[in-house]
Amino acid sequence: MPAIDLAAIRSFENLELLARQLVDGFITGLHQSPYHGFSVEFSEHRLYNPGDSTRHVDWKVFARTDKLFVKRYEEETNLRAHLLLDVSPSMYYPAPGHDKLKFSVLAAAALTTLLQRQRDAVGLVTFAETVELQTPVRATSSHRHTLLLALQQLLERPTPTPRATAHTDVAGVLHTIAQQIPKRSLVILFSDMLGRGAAEQAAALAALQHLRHQHHEVLVFHVLDRATESNFDFQDRLYIFEDVETGQEIRLQPSQVRAQYRAAMRQFEDDLALRCGQLKIDFVPVDVREPFDKVLHAYLVKRGKAR
């Protein structure tokens, strides 16, 4: 699946079309789907167990098979998914059309489309310093349109101005969501997880643990521009590097710090992946310069676990 120039997206209809094309192309590419209920129209049954009410027995199936099956209804079969999007200033890096936020928006739009096709319920939360938007969790087509419109509005927002007091509160948002979700759900987080130090990192991991303690499945997409943010692949000349959240600047040549920077980022990601693994959280590194297949495949694998 080729990469998509997100800068070319200009309208709600185009975002919807692109999301649908992503999903259709991905499904076509699956040679044999192991994921139950992938069709738009599906019904599910389970074998009748002694003591079950006969009110829900599917007598038509019994007439064909001579076996008793019980119909399973939405609260038994459908998934409830919460898409959490970090919309802090660091997500606008590295450049218009290739930034982490636009990648996350289109990935979230594709997941919304896939969820709705499977009659699963989905809700959207966007956050930076606080929760900016929180929608209900629903499975209707009209709700999907509402979510896609909200995602389109994110694409049209200007890059925020750096502020010295800027502070992305991943931990606070995750704790809030953990307290609000009434039923076992799948929580999908898109974030670069970039904080100001070890304390923020520990707080975010504690919040993820809170979600797991509430018996929710959690999928973390760690979104980075890996060429520059992980590998520090800049030309060997003098740069002025600016913190996109606080505006703080530093002048240096990349070769002066590249080795130390790579080691620190490798340790940062390894620690995140290790801790998520200990919590039985799926941690998926993704690159804004790569196609979206990895995101959709990781979701389907997690969906199978959450059912």
Side-chain angles (χ1 to χ4, degrees), residues 19-302:
R20 191 163 62 245
Q21 288 176 337
L22 279 174
V23 171
D24 290 343
F26 178 71
I27 294 174
T28 301
L30 291 174
H31 296 294
Q32 182 179 5
S33 173
Y35 309 106
H36 189 59
F38 205 76
S39 168
V40 173
E41 294 183 4
F42 66 94
S43 61
E44 299 193 20
H45 300 80
R46 61 173 171 80
L47 283 170
Y48 174 85
N49 294 315
D52 286 342
S53 171
T54 57
R55 182 175 54 167
H56 300 306
V57 168
D58 192 325
W59 297 109
K60 292 182 179 178
V61 171
F62 174 73
R64 293 196 307 269
T65 66
D66 201 31
K67 293 182 180 179
L68 291 174
F69 286 89
V70 177
K71 296 178 182 178
R72 298 173 66 192
Y73 291 93
E74 284 199 356
E75 58 251 29
E76 290 185 88
T77 63
N78 284 13
L79 183 74
R80 294 172 59 85
H82 300 256
L83 301 179
L84 277 57
L85 264 65
D86 180 349
V87 297
S88 61
S90 68
M91 292 293 285
Y92 288 79
Y93 179 86
H98 297 285
D99 58 80
K100 293 177 285 187
L101 180 61
K102 288 183 174 64
F103 178 95
S104 300
V105 163
L106 186 49
L111 288 179
T112 298
T113 300
L114 190 52
L115 283 156
Q116 197 272 331
R117 284 192 185 185
Q118 296 182 300
R119 300 182 184 176
D120 292 327
V122 59
L124 175 66
V125 175
T126 64
F127 69 93
E129 297 175 71
T130 59
V131 172
E132 295 187 2
L133 171 71
Q134 183 171 7
T135 75
V137 180
R138 293 174 181 158
T140 63
S141 295
S142 60
H143 184 61
R144 177 176 62 88
H145 286 294
T146 299
L147 297 187
L148 290 173
L149 180 58
L151 290 169
Q152 174 60 41
Q153 290 170 345
L154 288 177
L155 291 176
E156 298 170 351
R157 292 204 316 190
T159 302
T161 303
R163 293 183 295 109
T165 58
H167 172 76
T168 306
D169 192 11
V170 175
V173 170
L174 294 178
H175 280 303
T176 298
I177 296 302
Q179 293 166 352
Q180 291 179 349
I181 302 175
K183 296 181 179 180
R184 183 170 177 266
S185 302
L186 172 60
V187 178
I188 303 174
L189 172 65
F190 288 90
S191 176
D192 55 19
M193 301 295 286
L194 296 177
R196 292 189 180 180
E200 286 192 10
Q201 184 74 13
L205 287 167
L208 289 170
Q209 185 174 15
H210 186 186
L211 285 166
R212 290 295 294 133
H213 181 72
Q214 298 296 104
H215 306 293
H216 302 301
E217 294 290 334
V218 183
L219 174 55
V220 175
F221 289 111
H222 188 217
V223 186
L224 292 177
D225 176 62
R226 299 201 168 270
T228 59
E229 292 185 293
S230 290
N231 300 327
F232 212 60
D233 287 338
F234 293 96
Q235 295 179 9
D236 195 17
R237 60 179 177 82
L238 185 65
Y239 284 86
I240 299 176
F241 291 95
E242 179 185 7
D243 185 322
V244 293
E245 298 211 353
T246 67
Q248 183 179 357
E249 295 181 350
I250 184 172
R251 297 168 62 92
L252 56 81
Q253 287 193 207
S255 59
Q256 295 175 309
V257 300
R258 184 175 288 118
Q260 301 95 313
Y261 180 94
R262 286 177 175 175
M265 280 298 294
R266 187 162 50 249
Q267 186 66 54
F268 165 68
E269 292 195 73
D270 287 349
D271 289 346
L272 268 177
L274 175 62
R275 185 63 179 134
C276 285
Q278 291 171 340
L279 295 171
K280 294 183 170 55
I281 290 170
D282 287 41
F283 178 81
V284 184
V286 290
D287 187 347
V288 297
R289 299 173 190 256
E290 294 180 352
F292 294 83
D293 302 56
K294 192 174 185 179
V295 170
L296 297 175
H297 185 267
Y299 153 72
L300 286 179
V301 171
K302 194 64 174 177

